Amino acid sequence: MDPKQMRKVWIASLVGSSIEWFDYFLYGTVAALVFNQVFFVTEDPTVGLLLAYASFALAFFIRPFGGVIFSHIGDRIGRKKTLVITLSLMGIATFGMGLLPTYQAIGVWAPILLITLRLVQGLGIGGEWGGALLLAVEYAPKEKRGLYGAIPQMGVTIGMVMGTVALSIMTLLPEGSFMTWGWRVPFILSAFLVLFGLWIRKGIDETPSFKKVQQSGEIPKLPIVDTLKYHWREVLIAIGAKVVETAPFYIFGTFVVSYATSNLDFSRTTILNTVMVATIVTTILIPIMGSLSDKIGRKKIYVAGTIGMFLFAFPYFWMLQQQSVVLLVVATVVGLGIIWAPITAVLGTMFSEIFDAKVRYTGITLGYQIGAAVAGGTAPLIATSLLLKFNDSYVPVAIYIMFTAVISLVAIWAVKDRSNEELDALVKEESIEEPITTEEVTQM
């Protein structure tokens, strides 16, 4: 493939992924600022806030269902068609949120419609990640697979930055204007981003790996059945490997906002700006780490990041406890910006390399989305509960971060690094290293 077409492929995977996560994180931020007052209206403001956060968490648990639905389509019909559907779903849901009448206008139907659209968002994002990743990885030349697989991972952090910047601009409006119409503007304007993403994706062809499966006539009737029957070990490995990537992310990026403001007296602006800086550092480092994995191997990069996460858990909280803005920035940039970057950079490519092309979409999506639902949506809740139970001591939360690293190290231990192998070589029997038998030892 010529360089121009290759650039179009990774732009298509990055743009779509960034738009999806922009929509996703936009909801999370506005939920705390606006939705508790205009949709989840109760006599107790705290109850309204809890309901708004609950609607945010709902999408985490619907994501695996979206993953199953769209990965089935992706493995049966194709990656490209699926990505058009998922991006369209996200766009329609987000645009619809910007037009919704408030509780004061239509009563209880306002939160019902909002939650419905949020569930549609969850379904869309559940199928988007796997497709965007495979669009990049299955087109990539072997020697650049790590770099291309890291590109859609940048969409998570770029989406966060876009969402934060958009809302920061709108919050410059007077309070009344922001609460009435200002918050709606980013939701409505996201439609133009979606149209651009669809236009980019329209100009690319189906991936080479899926074409080979089509030509072989081996498209499975029920990809999820084949995945769970023949690749269940790989699915469990992917779920376990996802834990250290997702739980610390939501602790460093979400939980820390409430912890640093409520427990350590940092201003909300300071902590949000700090997370923003760390996110930008991550975005820069992700492709660098992906490219490095092409040279020294995916597993080495991932293990190094995971061990770093284990070792940094206590120093991270110690630095926060000093209540110094400088140390807050250093702690967040090191944790979220530097240590987390290599883990997320290679995760998707590594998943792709352990699943057969026939069920690759289903396999990587199941592992990723189940891992995200189990460890991601619950991480801030678990961390907050540990603080309450242990008198605001950070020690249990640090131990929790270390525990996620141990889980992922155990999960990834038996995976064979296939960085230098062709993607569509038989991986069913080779992706997991089998123990050496006594007979084999004798023959050595």
Side-chain angles (χ1 to χ4, degrees), residues 36-247:
N36 58 320
Q37 298 178 54
V38 300
F39 288 108
F40 302 100
V41 179
T42 63
E43 292 182 5
D44 186 346
T46 305
V47 174
L49 183 60
L50 287 172
L51 289 171
Y53 275 138
S55 69
F56 173 72
L58 267 178
F60 279 95
F61 296 98
I62 202 72
R63 275 166 60 176
F65 295 99
V68 169
I69 293 168
F70 291 111
S71 62
H72 174 86
I73 298 171
D75 279 329
R76 288 277 298 161
I77 299 174
R79 293 24 170 161
K80 178 186 171 180
K81 293 182 179 69
T82 309
L83 285 172
V84 169
I85 297 171
T86 57
L87 187 56
S88 300
L89 270 182
M90 285 289 292
I92 291 168
T94 306
F95 182 76
M97 287 176 185
L99 300 177
L100 275 182
T102 63
Y103 183 89
Q104 288 80 3
I106 60 171
V108 72
W109 279 105
I112 290 173
L113 290 172
L114 181 67
I115 289 171
T116 301
L117 291 175
R118 179 60 175 169
L119 293 177
V120 172
Q121 274 194 335
L123 288 173
I125 199 99
E128 165 69 21
W129 177 82
L133 179 80
L134 293 186
L135 189 65
V137 170
E138 292 185 342
Y139 262 116
K142 181 179 68 176
E143 65 277 7
K144 292 185 178 179
R145 206 157 57 221
L147 172 61
Y148 275 74
I151 297 296
Q153 296 297 85
M154 294 167 64
V156 179
T157 49
I158 290 174
M160 281 183 69
V161 172
M162 287 168 57
T164 305
V165 169
L167 280 175
S168 296
I169 293 171
M170 298 315 298
T171 52
L172 296 175
L173 291 168
E175 179 71 12
S177 299
F178 175 74
M179 293 299 294
T180 306
W181 59 268
W183 68 268
R184 298 178 182 272
V185 173
F187 285 83
I188 293 171
L189 291 182
S190 71
F192 293 101
L193 295 175
V194 171
L195 290 173
F196 174 69
L198 290 173
W199 174 71
I200 287 286
R201 286 181 172 179
K202 185 181 178 182
I204 56 174
D205 200 2
E206 190 51 78
T207 70
S209 293
F210 184 75
K211 283 183 176 179
K212 289 179 184 177
V213 174
Q214 279 184 315
Q215 290 165 4
S216 69
E218 296 182 347
I219 295 177
K221 291 182 178 179
L222 287 172
I224 190 169
V225 172
D226 284 12
T227 302
L228 295 177
K229 185 175 180 179
Y230 301 112
H231 297 271
W232 59 269
R233 287 191 298 177
E234 287 88 340
V235 171
L236 290 177
I237 286 168
I239 292 171
K242 174 69 176 167
V243 170
V244 76
E245 190 255 7
T246 193

Side-chain angles (χ1 to χ4, degrees), residues 5 30 66 86 123 160 233 239 270-271 338 365 379 397 416 442:
Q5 184 69 5
V30 175
T86 57
L123 288 173
M160 281 183 69
R233 287 191 298 177
I239 292 171
T270 299
I271 185 61
I338 297 173
T365 300
V397 185
K416 180 182 178 183
T442 308

